[in-house]
Amino acid sequence: MRKICLIYTGGTIGMKQNPNGKLAPVDFDQLRASIPALALLPVELDVVTVDKPVDSSEMQPEGWIDLVERIEEHYQDYDGFVLLHGTDTMAYTASALSFLIQGLKKPIIITGSQLPVGVLRTDATENLLSALEFAAMERDGEALIQEVCIYFEYKLYRGNRAYKRSSNEFDAFSSPNYPALAESGVRMSLNEDLLWKPVESILRFQKKVDASVGVVALYPGLDFTKVPVLEDWKVILLRTFGAGNAPNTPAFIDFLQRCEKGGVQIINTSQCVSGRIVPGLYDSSSALEQFNTLSAKDMTFESALVKAMVLLGRNLGRDEFIIKFSESLSGECA
Ligand code: ASP
């Protein structure tokens, strides 16, 4: 029987109304009792609860590191890991784990739900049971899935390719630039050709992240003379238009010059969720080109942001940062 470690971090899946009528996380034993089918699954399940389960809007880089440490500690004891996590920042955590753990040979599947587990019509039961089934899939004793995934509403996604698209539909996640890895219908159909094959053969757990990253979203009417370049920003993610376009105005060029002077690396990431950055396609991207900005290619915003934090955490020189950011570390870009 496959041995799976279930790590409960919080999120709606394990919440109940508190005395103020607000949803807040409860402990895992209450959750387990609400899903009797768990006992019927042909997997050996151990449950670990983080010290303080949270609403995932409270998840911080320290929480990602805590998960990396827990997975490292138990890595040899289990065939796979399933994480219960709030949906709000699930895509950030999935991206973080996919970059912080390299050379992964076992599945880490993150799931949660839109309705708490005890509620009639909850999506928690299906999400949890299917995530466990995917985590247990093997051939000749080897795990079929060897990457970080998000399982939600009948679909398995590469974690660093997915983002939360809806706060009120069960179908809460989407992976606009990479197909779903699997679907669970009457049968669980896994598309093995789409799965990530690790480039790193050595298993590495990185435990440092540097969050000195700013985000600037462009919009018509933005006065660049008022946009600060904060001293502790090492990277700015610029949320551009369309295929990576920005206004070629003196104020924008001055902003780019201030970034350059401050040694801040600009990463061009689009406000469009689907498609990729195409530098030089329009004249309106030429200012960005002159200033050696990096392209987030077809990465999700979440993935590009977290990748920058993880690479800053490696204390790379500027050139190496640029090379690594441009590579696909865990299947996050093409
Ligand atoms: N606010 C919740 C969280 O992210 C939402 C959810 O779990 O769906 O923790």
Side-chain angles (χ1 to χ4, degrees):
M1 216 188 278
R2 302 294 276 176
K3 260 188 108 176
I4 307 293
C5 178
L6 182 68
I7 305 179
Y8 173 58
T9 73
T12 296
I13 192 162
M15 290 188 185
K16 273 200 170 155
Q17 279 187 343
N18 67 15
N20 303 328
K22 304 252 185 343
L23 285 172
V26 294
D27 64 58
F28 186 81
D29 291 335
Q30 294 185 47
L31 203 157
R32 184 178 219 158
S34 310
I35 310 183
L38 274 177
L40 304 174
L41 269 186
V43 295
E44 207 181 314
L45 196 64
D46 285 338
V47 180
V48 173
T49 301
V50 299
D51 296 340
K52 187 179 170 287
V54 288
D55 183 299
S56 78
S57 55
E58 287 169 19
M59 188 56 112
Q60 292 294 317
E62 295 74 41
W64 305 336
I65 303 299
D66 177 60
L67 290 171
V68 170
E69 285 172 348
R70 286 173 192 274
I71 292 169
E72 181 180 29
E73 191 188 332
H74 296 293
Y75 191 80
Q76 302 307 339
D77 308 329
Y78 294 98
D79 299 303
F81 297 83
V82 171
L83 270 55
L84 295 179
H85 194 289
T87 56
D88 288 349
T89 63
M90 190 182 283
Y92 294 88
T93 298
S95 295
L97 296 181
S98 80
F99 300 133
L100 292 169
I101 308 175
Q102 292 285 304
L104 192 61
K105 289 280 189 190
K106 300 180 181 184
I108 298 176
I109 302 190
I110 312 182
T111 194
S113 63
Q114 291 282 57
L115 287 177
V117 81
V119 168
L120 215 61
R121 294 193 311 107
T122 183
D123 50 334
T125 312
E126 199 287 316
N127 284 347
L128 175 53
L129 294 176
S130 293
L132 287 165
E133 279 201 53
F134 277 117
M137 283 184 170
E138 53 99 19
R139 183 176 298 122
D140 302 327
E142 198 183 353
L144 280 184
I145 299 164
Q146 303 184 354
E147 59 178 298
V148 179
C149 299
I150 287 180
Y151 179 79
F152 223 87
E153 187 66 2
Y154 302 107
K155 290 206 182 76
L156 184 75
Y157 303 104
R158 174 162 302 150
N160 56 31
R161 288 287 200 161
Y163 78 102
K164 182 174 178 180
R165 59 167 280 278
S166 172
S167 59
N168 66 345
E169 293 169 59
F170 285 135
D171 189 11
F173 284 84
S174 172
S175 171
N177 290 327
Y178 199 76
L181 307 175
E183 294 205 22
S184 104
V186 175
R187 284 184 300 118
M188 316 279 279
S189 62
L190 182 65
N191 189 337
E192 291 189 46
D193 293 337
L194 294 173
L195 294 175
W196 174 246
K197 317 274 177 305
V199 267
E200 284 257 5
S201 50
I202 301 166
L203 179 67
R204 285 179 221 272
F205 296 91
Q206 179 182 331
K207 287 167 223 148
K208 192 167 169 241
V209 163
D210 181 345
S212 316
V213 179
V215 178
V216 174
L218 305 190
Y219 56 89
L222 173 61
D223 181 356
F224 281 103
T225 61
K226 296 207 180 99
V227 179
V229 177
L230 299 187
E231 244 173 52
D232 57 353
W233 283 350
K234 296 177 182 158
V235 166
I236 291 180
L237 258 72
L238 202 61
R239 304 211 68 185
T240 55
F241 304 116
N245 306 315
N248 263 333
T249 56
F252 181 56
I253 290 169
D254 175 69
F255 167 74
L256 293 177
Q257 272 164 347
R258 282 191 281 134
C259 291
E260 196 172 65
K261 247 200 215 143
V264 181
Q265 176 65 55
I266 298 269
I267 296 176
N268 185 355
T269 171
S270 175
Q271 294 174 31
C272 292
V273 288
S274 170
R276 62 184 298 123
I277 299 292
V278 189
L281 179 65
Y282 291 92
D283 189 42
S284 53
S285 61
S286 52
L288 285 165
E289 277 194 289
Q290 281 167 36
F291 283 86
N292 289 326
T293 55
L294 258 173
S295 162
K297 299 182 173 180
D298 61 347
M299 273 179 247
T300 60
F301 166 72
E302 292 83 344
S303 183
L305 180 94
V306 173
K307 188 176 181 178
M309 291 182 178
V310 169
L311 291 178
L312 286 176
R314 290 186 195 173
N315 287 324
L316 308 171
R318 196 183 173 111
D319 291 347
E320 227 188 318
F321 178 92
I322 291 172
I323 293 169
K324 282 285 166 202
F325 190 86
S326 305
E327 280 172 10
S328 168
L329 304 178
S330 310
E332 71 281 7
C333 60

